């Protein structure tokens, strides 16, 4: 069967380096770090005392207080980013068949703060079960998609994918395939996460996954640097409006880029560690290229998962060199997590937006915080250290990988008739 084409017609972002897409892109272009001491709770007894928090958000501008109290922050973030993306798309909801508009989001954890608060309240009480009536709706991961569909009346497919840090990219691929197969015309897709709470920081500390560079938070996320010591926890949301190409053309929509391929694989190796040779990562990039009908030489930019962990960065670079061969040395490669931190289930959406904007602006966002070369990485690789680089970007591939061995990749390219 002939698969329908899918394009991106709207973007929304709420991130540690900008609360809108223009602010986010400005932060990326200028190499701004979003890491700072934690303000959401007293972290003085934690091994890691900093994170990449959303900053300066006036929730009252977006959500009525009565409604906000029914939502965990991860759902609030999703709703705010979705509002920006829908407005950016120029959709006229009165002229749109809402039965053909769906919402598929990703969340790695969901309502962690709500879960923590309610369970702590019970544990510290006298044993009488006094729970907020909105506890369960606030906690469950799928509620972010539910809120968006309720607010805008979108009646197409509606759910949330959970594949750890690959969740948002998983959701984008799901939406992509539904549109290609004719099951819907438009999707609100992406992901949100709000895990900068005691349980999130403490849990990842126990895994020895987080950087502990408390003396210099802004330089703690340093992918590919010899002294990298773990990722920096981030929070926020990224939303894409995916739309069938002819539908977008018919309404005169602006088009950022075309989504041409997606792939999903498993490492089948370990619950947290990546395959040491990057087997799952190389498989997913090959699958994505095949799905897009593209060759490795067609890619100009790879936005890597690049978490700043000792094992992860090495395995991903091995995979890139395996897939791209000599062309790997012609690529720009960068990790925007060096600026945003790791947004877990929202990471793939925020990094997809970074990739799309790199295509639109012909500018590669940098991998900041590089101080010391690691001899394990071939010096011929262009890891776009410290400063953004101008180049024509015809197509970009974005990787996201998750605990459990989940691997997802997507390819965006400049739109052509």
């Amino acid at each position: 069967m002939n698969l329908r084409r899918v394009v991106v017609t709207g973007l929304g972002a709420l991130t540690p380096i900008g609360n809108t897409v223009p602010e986010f892109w400005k932060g990326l272009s200028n190499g701004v770090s979003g890491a700072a001491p934690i303000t959401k709770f007293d972290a003085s007894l934690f091994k890691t005392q900093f994170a990449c928090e959303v900053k300066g958000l006036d929730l009252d501008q977006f959500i009525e207080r009565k409604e906000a109290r029914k939502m965990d922050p991860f759902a609030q973030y999703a709703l705010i980013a979705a509002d920006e993306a829908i407005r950016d798309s120029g959709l006229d909801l009165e002229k749109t068949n809402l039965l053909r508009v769906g919402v598929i989001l990703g969340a790695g954890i969901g309502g962690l703060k709500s879960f923590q608060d309610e369970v702590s309240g019970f544990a510290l009480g006298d044993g009488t079960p006094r729970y907020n009536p909105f506890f369960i709706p606030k906690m469950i991961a799928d509620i972010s998609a539910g809120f968006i569909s309720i607010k805008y009346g979108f009646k197409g497919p509606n759910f949330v994918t959970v594949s750890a840090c690959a969740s948002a990219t998983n959701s984008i691929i799901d939406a992509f395939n539904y549109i290609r197969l004719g099951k819907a015309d438009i999707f609100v897709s992406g992901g949100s996460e709000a895990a900068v709470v005691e349980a999130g920081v403490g849990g990842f500390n126990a895994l020895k996954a987080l950087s502990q560079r408390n003396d210099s938070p802004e330089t703690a996320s340093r992918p590919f640097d010899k002294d990298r010591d773990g990722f920096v926890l981030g929070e926020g949301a990224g939303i894409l409006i995916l739309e069938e190409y002819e539908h977008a053309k018919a309404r005169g929509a602006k088009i950022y880029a075309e989504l041409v391929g997606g792939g999903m694989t498993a490492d089948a190796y370990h619950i947290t560690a990546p395959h040491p040779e990057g087997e799952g990562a190389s498989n997913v990039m090959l699958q994505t290229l095949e799905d897009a009908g593209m060759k490795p030489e067609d890619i100009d930019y790879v936005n890597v998962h690049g978490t700043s962990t000792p094992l992860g960065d090495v395995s991903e670079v091995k995979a890139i060199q395996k897939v791209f061969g000599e062309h790997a040395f012609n690529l720009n490669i960068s990790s925007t997590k060096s600026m945003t931190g790791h947004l877990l289930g929202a990471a793939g959406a925020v990094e997809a937006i970074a990739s799309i904007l790199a295509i639109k602006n012909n500018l590669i966002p940098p991998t900041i915080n590089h101080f010391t070369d690691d001899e394990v990485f071939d010096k011929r690789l262009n890891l776009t250290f410290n400063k953004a680089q101008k180049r024509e970007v015809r197509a970009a591939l974005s990787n996201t990988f998750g605990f459990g061995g989940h691997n997802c990749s997507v390819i965006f390219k400049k739109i052509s008739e």
Side-chain angles (χ1 to χ4, degrees):
M1 64 179 294
N2 291 325
L3 295 176
R4 306 195 307 168
R5 294 172 67 185
V6 180
V7 294
V8 181
T9 57
L11 299 174
L14 178 61
T15 78
I17 59 170
N19 293 352
T20 64
V21 169
E23 290 177 4
F24 171 55
W25 180 244
K26 182 179 179 181
L28 288 181
S29 303
N30 292 313
V32 173
S33 171
I38 290 170
T39 64
K40 294 180 180 293
F41 62 91
D42 180 1
S44 59
L45 297 180
F46 286 72
K47 293 177 182 177
T48 296
Q49 299 165 11
F50 59 93
C52 286
E53 298 176 329
V54 168
K55 304 168 186 67
L57 177 65
D58 183 357
L59 196 60
D60 290 342
Q61 287 188 357
F62 302 97
I63 306 171
E64 293 182 6
R65 290 190 182 186
K66 182 179 178 181
E67 293 303 309
R69 286 195 292 269
K70 302 174 186 177
M71 302 179 189
D72 186 87
F74 96 101
Q76 296 169 356
Y77 294 167
L79 202 58
I80 292 168
D83 182 68
E84 182 186 13
I86 292 164
R87 285 187 287 106
D88 183 46
S89 73
L91 274 173
D92 185 340
L93 299 185
E94 292 186 358
K95 296 179 180 178
T96 302
N97 182 357
L98 301 183
L99 289 168
R100 302 281 297 172
V101 184
V103 185
I104 306 178
L105 300 187
I109 300 174
L112 185 59
K113 177 171 174 49
S114 297
F115 183 82
Q116 173 187 283
D117 290 351
E118 293 294 328
V119 173
S120 295
F122 175 72
L124 295 172
D126 62 5
T128 305
R130 297 183 181 91
Y131 285 90
N132 187 316
F134 294 103
F135 169 40
I136 298 301
K138 288 171 72 174
M139 178 194 71
I140 53 178
D142 72 292
I143 204 67
S144 55
F147 274 123
I148 292 167
S149 70
I150 291 166
K151 178 176 180 178
Y152 296 99
F154 299 147
K155 298 177 181 178
N158 185 281
F159 58 91
V160 162
T161 59
V162 179
S163 51
C165 303
S167 297
T169 306
N170 228 144
S171 81
I172 291 167
I173 295 169
D174 285 348
F176 174 50
N177 285 329
Y178 273 107
I179 295 173
R180 287 205 290 184
L181 292 170
K183 304 296 184 182
D185 298 322
I186 301 169
F187 267 100
V188 179
S189 189
S192 65
E193 204 78 89
V196 183
V197 299
E198 292 91 332
V201 176
F204 282 115
N205 266 156
L207 278 173
K208 302 187 187 319
L210 297 182
S211 170
Q212 297 180 30
R213 205 177 296 276
N214 294 310
D215 59 337
S216 183
E218 69 280 0
T219 69
S221 183
R222 42 179 84 182
F224 313 118
D225 190 86
K226 186 174 183 178
D227 298 320
R228 63 192 181 278
D229 70 330
F231 70 81
V232 177
L233 188 59
E235 62 174 3
I239 300 291
L240 290 70
I241 304 301
L242 300 181
E243 188 167 353
E244 193 271 324
Y245 175 56
E246 295 298 336
H247 189 279
K249 274 209 315 182
R251 69 178 185 87
K254 76 172 177 299
I255 295 173
Y256 283 98
E258 183 172 3
L259 175 54
V260 291
M264 299 176 281
T265 68
D267 278 358
Y269 175 73
H270 190 272
I271 59 170
T272 57
H275 190 282
E277 298 303 315
E279 184 179 297
S282 59
N283 287 341
V284 79
M285 286 186 277
L286 288 169
Q287 186 185 105
T288 306
L289 286 164
E290 180 181 7
D291 188 48
M294 298 175 77
K295 301 175 182 177
E297 303 80 52
D298 296 326
I299 304 297
D300 296 309
Y301 171 46
V302 177
N303 185 298
V304 291
H305 187 58
T307 56
S308 182
T309 58
L311 297 178
D313 291 2
V314 173
S315 66
E316 186 171 10
V317 167
K318 284 182 178 179
I320 289 170
Q321 291 191 260
K322 180 179 178 180
V323 170
F324 289 93
E326 286 297 311
H327 183 62
F329 305 123
N330 299 322
L331 294 168
N332 269 89
I333 299 166
S334 76
S335 171
T336 47
K337 287 186 180 72
S338 60
M339 295 172 275
T340 65
H342 192 352
L343 274 67
L344 308 179
V350 169
E351 288 154 22
I353 292 169
S355 302
I356 291 163
L357 294 176
I359 293 169
K360 179 179 182 289
N361 295 290
N362 290 313
L363 185 73
I364 308 295
T367 304
I368 67 167
N369 298 330
H370 181 71
F371 303 99
T372 307
D373 288 344
D374 188 337
E375 58 276 2
V376 74
F377 302 118
D378 193 315
K379 290 185 178 181
R380 293 175 293 172
L381 293 168
N382 184 356
L383 298 170
T384 321
F385 285 134
N386 295 326
K387 289 187 178 181
Q389 295 179 12
K390 292 183 178 180
R391 72 171 288 174
E392 182 182 5
V393 186
R394 301 163 300 163
L397 181 148
S398 182
N399 286 332
T400 41
F401 311 138
F403 283 174
H406 312 293
N407 307 301
C408 290
S409 296
V410 285
I411 294 174
F412 299 93
K413 75 173 187 178
K414 278 186 162 65
I415 186 68
S416 58
E417 295 297 328

